[in-house]
Amino acid sequence: MWRSYTLLWSLFDRRGRSRMAGLLALMVTAALIEAFAVASLLPFLTSLSIPSSASLLSQSATTATLATVRFSMVELAVLFSMAVVIAIALKALADHSAMAFSASQCARWSRQLLLVHLNRDYDWFLGQHSADLGYGLLERVQEVVNASLLPALRVMVNGLAAVAICVVLLRSMPAVMFLVVGGLVIAYSAVFLLMRRRFPRLGEEREAVAALRYRLTSDVLGGIKEIKLHGLEAGYDARVRAPFERHAQLYAKRYLFSILPRYVLEALGFVTVCVVVLLLGSGSGGLQSVLPVLGVFGFAAFRLLPAVQQIYQNAVSLPMGRAGLDALHRDLALGDAGVPQARAPMALTREIALKQVSYSYPGAQRAAIDNVDLRIAAGSMVALVGTSGAGKSTIADFTMGLLTPSSGALCIDGVALDHAARRAWQAACSHVAQHVFLLADSI
């Protein structure tokens, strides 16, 4: 889980880390107010059960500086109500801020990843499936936010609130705190440890199946003309059925593992309440003397149990989302996210020359062109003629500086074209493609 936090932190830029620090400060403030709300309940309930003692008792869970200050029952009620309302409002604000921060990071990471791809050489795209790139830009980034960033933030929000409540319980009723918190920690930790090896495997399988869905959908829509012409609809339906169904099953499993302990703990919660009532009621003061403590215990449990469930549910999501997070981190860490800059066109005065150029496409068994020598004088017109696969398009791509030769060089006016000068040369080239690409837009 800590590795997920480390990877997420490394993906933040300076602005993202500043916003994260501000969000953490808001979380700490919300947790402190939550603790004060729980602490202020005991003196209020004590004043109700013992009206003659409408003061903040020194043994209460409030701060020592307020221990000697006397309040009326109404003032205690107002104090408690205000603390609860402020605590809920701050937690809602923290949740909203976490969601807004995650949404902005999703947009930022998608744009950064697109820029990384735009800065890659044309050769790299020849070995990629366009559907895989689309999946990485859209669904993978969104999945990183949903399965890694948001869960990491929610673990922090609820974790701080849970710790603050536990500190209050420890000061006022240590035995109850150890009983309740110990039971919760043992129950959730047992389930998490039993399933921790399976969580990453489920995440890796979900990542692979999700990418396959994108690829199959792209193949279907890209070849729709041939599919309709040859009546291949049933065959493609059979191909996509299994990945789509498996993807749904994996999501259902992730949800099941994240909520399963909740129902077990609901049953254990009632048993725990009965045990606590019996233990506290068996004292010399009877049940009336422990009613304030029971009230605080019930209110703390009401605030603590959802927080612990959220911690577990989101902690489970972190290892399941590691596969996508690792892939995004790898793409962004190894690439250049700078905006490509336009260059002034390079002048051509004498000739374009390919000198002993050889090239093999990624994954190809044989070279597309081998030891090609070609000279094209400035101002001349040249036609490349040959059978399909002879290398006409490859040579044309080389003359435009799109491909990097396995050996040999492209020379402009006798000077080998290096990577730094490639953009300037491409600014001087015009290209009419074999296949027309239509943009989904209007002029």
Side-chain angles (χ1 to χ4, degrees):
M1 186 168 72
W2 292 114
R3 176 166 170 76
S4 296
Y5 278 97
T6 302
L7 292 176
L8 287 169
W9 183 258
S10 67
L11 290 176
F12 296 149
D13 56 12
R14 182 179 300 177
R15 180 184 177 188
R17 293 179 180 181
S18 298
R19 292 187 63 183
M20 184 65 199
L23 184 59
L24 181 60
L26 178 61
M27 293 177 187
V28 172
T29 304
L32 293 176
I33 299 298
E34 182 96 19
F36 182 79
V38 175
S40 63
L41 179 61
L42 183 57
F44 172 58
L45 294 180
T46 301
S47 68
L48 290 177
S49 61
I50 310 175
S52 61
S53 180
S55 65
L56 292 181
L57 304 180
S58 60
Q59 67 267 28
S60 69
T62 52
T63 58
T65 56
L66 296 176
T68 59
V69 181
R70 299 184 61 85
F71 288 98
S72 68
M73 193 180 303
V74 174
E75 290 173 334
L76 289 172
V78 171
L79 180 65
F80 169 68
S81 300
M82 289 179 60
V84 171
V85 170
I86 294 174
I88 293 175
L90 283 177
K91 190 169 184 181
L93 179 60
D95 286 338
H96 169 73
S97 300
M99 182 66 70
F101 175 70
S102 299
S104 67
Q105 283 300 135
C106 180
R108 186 178 300 274
W109 287 338
S110 292
R111 178 175 176 269
Q112 287 178 348
L113 185 57
L114 178 60
L115 288 173
V116 165
H117 291 336
L118 291 177
N119 279 293
R120 296 185 188 274
D121 292 334
Y122 177 72
D123 312 63
W124 182 83
F125 290 93
L126 299 177
Q128 307 298 318
H129 197 296
S130 59
D132 293 339
L133 299 180
Y135 168 77
L137 283 167
L138 301 175
E139 183 164 337
R140 178 181 290 145
V141 174
Q142 188 64 56
E143 180 65 16
V144 167
V145 169
N146 293 337
S148 294
L149 180 56
L150 269 176
L153 295 175
R154 286 169 178 162
V155 167
M156 294 171 62
V157 171
N158 292 281
L160 289 171
V163 169
I165 293 174
C166 289
V167 170
V168 172
L169 292 178
L170 180 63
R171 292 190 60 188
S172 59
M173 48 189 108
V176 174
M177 194 281 294
F178 282 115
L179 176 65
V180 175
V181 176
L184 291 175
V185 171
I186 292 173
Y188 278 107
S189 298
V191 176
F192 188 84
L193 291 175
L194 287 174
M195 301 299 298
R196 72 184 189 278
R197 296 183 182 276
R198 193 170 184 180
F199 292 152
R201 292 200 297 269
L202 287 175
E204 292 170 1
E205 185 180 0
R206 195 219 67 85
E207 172 79 6
V209 172
L212 179 59
R213 288 167 63 241
Y214 257 70
R215 187 177 302 176
L216 291 175
T217 302
S218 177
D219 292 343
V220 170
L221 298 179
I224 192 63
K225 182 178 181 179
E226 289 75 12
I227 291 174
K228 301 300 293 183
L229 179 62
H230 300 292
L232 302 176
E233 293 90 346
Y236 272 93
D237 174 65
R239 284 186 64 190
V240 303
R241 185 182 302 126
F244 276 66
E245 291 178 352
R246 183 56 180 164
H247 190 261
Q249 292 170 1
L250 291 172
Y251 261 106
K253 282 187 176 181
R254 184 166 75 176
Y255 180 73
L256 174 64
F257 291 145
S258 65
I259 67 168
L260 184 60
R262 171 185 172 186
Y263 300 104
V264 178
L265 288 175
E266 284 182 356
L268 293 176
F270 289 104
V271 177
T272 303
V273 170
C274 293
V275 172
V276 171
V277 171
L278 289 175
L279 290 176
L280 296 177
S282 60
S284 59
L287 189 61
Q288 182 179 0
S289 62
V290 298
L291 281 179
V293 176
L294 287 177
V296 174
F297 168 72
F299 180 72
F302 172 75
R303 303 297 297 171
L304 185 61
L305 287 176
V308 174
Q309 172 62 22
Q310 283 289 318
I311 293 171
Y312 171 81
Q313 185 173 342
N314 289 283
V316 165
S317 181
L318 289 175
M320 290 188 182
R322 271 285 304 281
L325 178 58
D326 285 336
L328 179 62
H329 181 269
R330 182 173 57 252
D331 288 340
L332 291 180
L334 299 179
D336 177 14
V339 179
Q341 300 297 320
R343 300 285 296 274
M346 179 184 296
L348 175 66
T349 58
R350 299 198 312 272
E351 65 173 9
I352 304 171
L354 299 181
K355 297 183 178 181
Q356 297 293 307
V357 170
S358 299
Y359 183 77
S360 297
Y361 285 99
Q365 298 297 321
R366 63 183 183 87
I369 58 175
D370 188 25
N371 292 323
V372 171
D373 283 300
L374 176 66
R375 297 179 184 278
I376 304 174
S380 63
M381 298 181 63
V382 176
L384 300 176
V385 181
T387 59
S388 178
K392 303 182 298 297
S393 298
T394 304
I395 292 176
D397 288 343
F398 267 110
T399 61
M400 294 184 291
L402 288 174
L403 300 176
T404 302
S406 305
S407 62
L410 166 66
C411 297
I412 307 299
D413 291 338
V415 179
L417 188 70
D418 58 15
H419 192 275
R422 185 178 299 179
R423 297 280 296 179
W425 170 243
Q426 290 169 349
C429 297
S430 297
H431 177 229
V432 179
Q434 290 175 290
H435 304 286
V436 178
F437 182 78
L438 297 179
L439 295 174
D441 209 335
S442 61
I443 299 177

